Amino acid sequence: MKSYLLAFVPLVLLGFQREHPSESQHFSSDQPTVLVPTASQKEVEKVVTTILSSYHYRRMPLDDSLSSKVWTNYLKEVDNGKAYLLASDVQAFEKYRYQIDDYLQAGNLTPAYDLFNLFMKRFHERMAYVSKLTDKPFDFSKDESYETNRDKAQWANSTAELDDLWRKIVKSQALDYKLQGKKDTAIYRLIKDRYVNLDKQTSKVKSDYVFQSFMNSFAEVIDPHTSYMAPPDASRFKDEMAQSFEGIGATLTPENDYTKIRELVPGGPAMKSGQVRENDRIVGVAQGTNGQMVDVVGWALDDVVKLIRGPKGTTVRLNILKPDALPGSQPHEIKIVRDKVKLEDGVAKAEIVPMTYGNKEYRMGVITLPGFYQNFEEMRKGDKDYTSTSRDVQRFLEQFKQAKVDGVVLDLRYNGGGSLDEAIKLTGLFIKDGPVVQVKDAMGRIDADDDPDPQQVYAGPLAVIVNRFSASASEIFAGAIQDYKRGLVIGGTTYGKGTVQQLLDLNQFLPKETEKVGLLKMTRAKFYRITGSSTQHKGVTPDIELPSRFSAEEFGESSQPTALPWDQIKPSVFTEYTNVDPKTLEKLRTKYNERYKADPDLLRLTAEVSDFQKNKDKTLLSLNEANRRKEMEEAKKRKDELAKLGEGKPNPYEVVLLGDKLTQLGTAGGGMPGQDVASADIRQKMKENFISKFKEDAELKESIRILADWISLK
């Protein structure tokens, strides 16, 4: 069996070193350093171009069409918000648009560096203008607005147009602070500090950043999961994959002026807190319970990381903006106690959940699986007790059988994937034998991977919960369970990532280079369900679909313009089970539709999704204080209304969690079957967290109801 890694690889873009500001600091008046490419970067450019054009799964020709797309991408990389460069600047570089393919093959980086150096000149001009805006207060009674979606904007034709744009940008930020209750003197000090920070960290940009940005502008034209990591990022990536650290357990990435949570380390303090999610934006950091909140908008990523990380047992406070927060929304403060964080903590956890529903009592086994993990090094050394997803889940399933659970729920929401080997073995716990997935490489060769163990550990009712953030190995598992009709797949359509990436150390292609030159992550194969259908683009469509905020067009592989296409190959030979037949599915959907119209949890979920869909395209932000306060009051009123939905009325579909009977099996640790590696304190904390989250988790409650309906039909 071939081993592949099926996962989103978290990329942390290059950060910059920056001194912390004081009130005496000012904007730099020095001329920006002119950046030039190094000799090794020119060689790396040629090597990467050769590899991607010859060995990538998609053999894309180096021609004028590709050249134009690369240049468009690079313009977005340099000035994504069209807030610095003038239309005349952009036009002056149009001469390069159809020559980039030639420059890539020749190792010529002149256009990339010339454009970036011009950007730096324009950047400092903007910072000089911003410094003047903080000298006097704004008039928030004036009726004007700011368009936050800069994709709709054209390049400015004059400096006066940019001046007006930046006046509105800064005014909007000042109004945000004012609505938080800050005084005028504090508002303008905070804004000045914000742009001092931005000026300083941008002034210290290195050549590596420019080169990485340009190479990724090329790589992303070929495939959204192909990318280049310059030496600083490559080193950080390797360190974080191999070592533990003390902090909150989150992978961060810069996004415009914000620091965004790209991924939560499973089992880490941030994930356990239940207070943060992927794509949340961190806008402030404070130390301890009483430390001053430091505004970090515009800060370098490395500096934000330094503030957030800290010794085990200490507290950090964060100001968070949710990814669906409307423009002008206020951040909320959370507290997280730092702890020792290990990537190995991303393991399965399980509960035996007693509940009543429809005048019946059920005992459901719930397994939450954050990723498909496997300790390759332990396995390579022959350690028979090596850590793996399938071993841990098998232990839980055996405990479930001993406890005589009525059904099992496997929660794959937010599971970005991992080891294909483990996805195959996990599927094998629920089927007797047969193929699980097909793999096609760049040469068109197809291999089918079968369940390696004829033992069927669990044959009872099974529900698999997925959402738009379930990807790669999660889709292989959910797709196989659905194709075999072995269990119910419930939730939202999955991400649609049906590709696998290979990580290449570029020094192996440049043996004379004494310094590190970076890593290339390149798509090399595609995965297919046993029906022959690719998971690429389409993902896995649930048997019963719950309301979701994110559509395929908005988030997922289908939202990526350069994603590989969906296709299909010849199906494998396999035998379906009789667990899920069309008549059963129809009955379950009918029962779900009845609840959908009356259950408060589902009504609330549907209303929240509807509100999000209505508001997500509202990008025109009022700069009038009275109007903004009115919008805030209306949003709060709506939130209160949703919270009271169904209050005081009997709910015939109520799921009552019998919390006192809840059995917390703890977190798996890869030990021998039956070994409980979680301490009593950890189990108690996890039990409390589960009960608290269960009350708010409409998707989990409905999935359990659907599973209970299925059990009652048997």
Side-chain angles (χ1 to χ4, degrees), residues 17-21 197 246-248 252 259 282-288 291-311 314-319 336 338:
Q17 297 299 316
R18 181 193 54 76
E19 297 177 359
H20 290 273
N197 295 337
E246 293 181 351
I248 66 170
L252 308 179
T259 296
I282 299 172
V283 297
V285 183
Q287 307 301 323
Q292 181 180 357
M293 185 64 67
V294 178
D295 183 288
V296 295
V297 176
W299 277 42
L301 178 63
D302 285 350
D303 294 320
V304 179
V305 170
K306 288 176 185 177
L307 287 185
I308 294 175
R309 284 189 181 178
T314 59
T315 298
V316 62
R317 304 194 332 271
L318 306 176
N319 263 351
I336 299 177
R338 300 180 179 102

Side-chain angles (χ1 to χ4, degrees), residues 13-65:
L13 297 181
L14 179 66
F16 318 111
Q17 297 299 316
R18 181 193 54 76
E19 297 177 359
H20 290 273
S22 66
E23 292 189 19
S24 63
Q25 288 180 309
H26 58 277
F27 290 90
S28 172
S29 59
D30 299 333
Q31 290 296 319
T33 302
V34 175
L35 297 175
V36 295
T38 65
S40 65
Q41 286 172 351
K42 296 176 183 179
E43 293 304 313
V44 171
E45 180 184 33
K46 290 189 287 186
V47 167
V48 170
T49 301
T50 299
I51 292 173
L52 293 184
S53 60
S54 302
Y55 301 104
H56 190 279
Y57 187 90
R58 169 186 275 162
R59 304 294 175 83
M60 198 169 216
L62 294 171
D63 55 19
D64 288 354
S65 175

